[in-house]
Amino acid sequence: MADADLDVVIRQLARQLHTGLMTRAKERRDRFNGLAAKAKGKETGERFKMLAKASMEQATAAAKRLQMSADNVADSYARAMRLAASTPVSVKAEKKAKDKPEKAGKAKKAKAKKAK
């Protein structure tokens, strides 16, 4: 995994979060449905069933938003890396050649100041 691209890692983490979120949502839905079955009144049972349905809908919407965000981030990262890989890097060699004479000139000036 050390040599994997980060966009792949982002997508894997999003899948793990998605499955965990949906597992918890299903557990919560089952709990509410169990409470609805045990309810003594019809109105209370209907309320628990509505809670189960609403919690599942909210969790599904949250999971979709999470997946879309992760896909967007992974795509942006991959695009940025492709762009960075395609740009030339010849600027550094020119800077090093120019910096060396300036440093020697600064050293001579410092020696001249110390001598005075």
Side-chain angles (χ1 to χ4, degrees):
M1 197 145 154
D3 60 344
D5 288 332
L6 286 180
D7 61 325
V8 175
V9 174
I10 291 168
R11 291 179 203 278
Q12 287 175 347
L13 290 173
R15 273 194 298 272
Q16 289 174 355
L17 289 174
H18 181 271
T19 56
L21 177 65
M22 292 310 293
T23 301
R24 299 292 180 200
K26 288 175 184 175
E27 288 173 1
R28 188 175 185 99
R29 179 197 61 194
D30 293 342
R31 180 175 171 268
F32 283 133
N33 282 333
L35 289 173
K38 290 180 184 177
K40 294 183 179 178
K42 183 177 181 181
E43 188 175 302
T44 308
E46 289 297 319
R47 187 170 47 115
F48 280 127
K49 285 181 183 178
M50 286 176 43
L51 279 171
K53 183 178 178 183
S55 67
M56 196 63 189
E57 288 174 358
Q58 293 294 326
T60 304
K64 284 181 183 178
R65 286 192 303 270
L66 175 73
Q67 190 66 43
M68 282 192 299
S69 295
D71 286 340
N72 288 340
V73 169
D75 291 341
S76 294
Y77 177 79
R79 186 172 40 254
M81 289 299 107
R82 279 194 306 270
L83 182 65
S86 68
T87 56
V89 194
S90 62
V91 178
K92 290 183 179 180
E94 293 174 15
K95 282 186 177 181
K96 287 183 181 180
K98 289 180 181 178
D99 289 343
K100 288 183 181 179
E102 291 175 12
K103 289 181 181 178
K106 288 181 182 178
K108 288 181 182 178
K109 287 180 184 178
K111 288 182 182 178
K113 285 183 180 180
K114 286 183 182 178
K116 289 183 181 179

